[in-house]
Amino acid sequence: MKTSIATVSVSGALGDKLVAIADAGYGGAEIFENDLLSAPQSAREIGALMRELGLACTMFQPFRDLEGLPDTMRARAFERMKRKFEVMEHLGTDLVLLCSNCSPHALDDRQRMLDDLHELGEMAAAHGKRVGYEALAWGRHVADHRDAWALVRDVDHPAIGLVLDSFHSLSRRVPSASIGDIRADKLFIVQVADAPYIEMDHLNWSRHFRCMPGQGDFALAQWAAAIQRTGYDGWWSLEIFNDRFRAGSAHTIARDGLRALRFMEDQAARAARRDSPMPPRIQPSGVEFIEFAAAHEEAEDFGKLFTALGFSPVARHRSKDVVRWQQGGINLVVNSEPEGLAHSFDIVHGGSVCAMGIAVPDQSAALARAEALDIPRFRQAVAPGEWEIPSLRGIGGSLLYLVDQATRDAMWADEFPVALQSAPAQPLLTRVDHIAQTMHYEEMLSWLLYYHALLEVNKTPQLEIADPMGLVYSQAVETPDGALRFTLNGSLAAGSLTSRFIQAYFGAGVQHIALSCNDIFAAAEQAQARGLPFLEIGPNYYEDLEARFDLPADLVDRMARLNILYDRDGDAEYFQFYSRAVAKRVFFEVVERRGYAGYGAANAAIRLNAQAKFRERDED
Ligand SMILES: O=C(O)c1ccc(O)c(O)c1
Ligand SMILES: [Mg+2]
């Protein structure tokens, strides 16, 4: 796939954008006119810079409002276009994008449009240039690629072709099967963007909510496969208008864009049952372990909490200051080594989660998938006689270990041979239900893409949750069977718990861990007896619960005594309780799912309010 990106997609000044685009590895870039107008360099200098960076100038854009104008405005539009041909000469591109006319003066006169496009073709050809015609979703008379294609086809001029932009087509739900009518030699360039399906006018939706393929809701795999079936072999150029991206780092956006294009190519190949250039997404079967970095004092705090939750310290590492805690299928590892990544992590963040190990069927296929997506592998010095579990760079500098069956067996048996206590004989907690990761709001789409492209996970819609100090956005990625679930949370409000976590912790990371059980009342009673510091829920919640769900009073009383929250979806029920934060950062949740698929979003605001009470005490 020949990859390109419009400069409007990336933050910064034009020169810096181009450097970031080249560094990420794109073959080309579209120059967005506004970026050029505000740049200190001349068009000639930008053209030279692109050649120096090895970037093709794939297109100059946009040019607006030309076809179907009344006579009084027509000549002026053609004159404007002629001037742009000179700029394009300097930039080193022969292609300019013409947006379908949005002017209120544009006439609904098809023959006039055909005549104008023909004359434009003649003028462009005389200058050695080509014009790609794009139907904007809000175009006045042409707003659908089928109409744009019909014009281009009927004009039948070698210098006039079509631009397909996934946003305009998929936001209007134009069937991708219609792309089959388009001739590949007439398709001058393809622009790619994803977006969430939201109720909004097309212009604002397009200008503010576009995102990278895989971050939104559009069926891009089918759309791209339909384009490939025409035989098109030109540029695939990202065009992402998004304020969130413009606030981020140019290098991150450029890298994510390329990752997203590769992911789309992979999904398109699979949709068309062709060979993909990369191995399939990893199918994780659960969380194998969660590793905490903690110096001794904080390790003791973690130990107390783990004990209250019913865990036992079962083994010590053969040579390192690392202890494995276990219960049911859950492994928590506390790393107090005075050197290595965990130690560095502890110095930067304080006691917290520094790594997660996910169970994967095939380690080398998993690593190959990561490599194809340019997800960096982490390596540190391995002492003689030691071995390494392969890991990837994850959120906030933490690690994502890839654990297959052979590694799992060797890891626990050989690395942790020093037996301590026996594991609980009747574990009340059985497995990791979900891991909640907190990050800057601007990073959320980036991590969403990371997980979605790497793992065979689905995305849930983004939810808005009311924190007493502002809004928190939350979105989950989960395997179809629910074996692995991560929630991603971010907030723009400086005072929300989410933002305070990032400040106190110096960056993104795991904020809470939810563990599942089969009997929430037994689990809560045991935790209470063992002195778990519960997050206390006020009485109003329980009064409302009784009224809302028509639950028996004695059940609600029991829930109130144990600080258990409740949600219901049809016949499916969800029970949850929370601990207070350990080491002022990480807290735990225990859940029981009775056929319930969500995360108790209805209770999130209650939980955040209950936590706000401890702001002063639980945080520095
Ligand atoms: O929002 C716009 O005006 C605009 C401009 C150029 C494009 O290619 C496009 O898709 C939209
Ligand atoms: Mg476009």
Side-chain angles (χ1 to χ4, degrees), residues 164-227:
L164 275 182
D165 178 327
S166 58
F167 180 85
H168 300 300
S169 300
L170 299 179
S171 65
R172 299 184 68 98
R173 299 183 190 262
V174 179
S176 292
S178 64
I179 292 169
D181 298 337
I182 299 168
R183 268 173 31 217
D185 65 304
K186 282 286 173 193
L187 186 49
F188 283 180
I189 198 165
V190 166
Q191 292 183 313
V192 191
D194 203 344
Y197 274 119
I198 40 182
E199 284 298 319
M200 183 179 258
D201 67 280
H202 287 98
L203 190 146
N204 277 298
W205 186 9
S206 174
R207 297 251 174 101
H208 304 289
F209 291 90
R210 288 188 183 215
C211 54
M212 301 295 182
Q215 294 176 335
D217 299 331
F218 288 173
L220 283 170
Q222 289 70 22
W223 175 83
I227 293 173

Side-chain angles (χ1 to χ4, degrees), residues 30 59 61 97 99 134 136 163-165 168 191 210 239 241:
E30 294 174 20
M59 181 160 67
Q61 75 132 332
L97 180 146
C99 298
E134 176 189 51
L136 294 187
V163 176
L164 275 182
D165 178 327
H168 300 300
Q191 292 183 313
R210 288 188 183 215
E239 187 191 29
F241 305 94

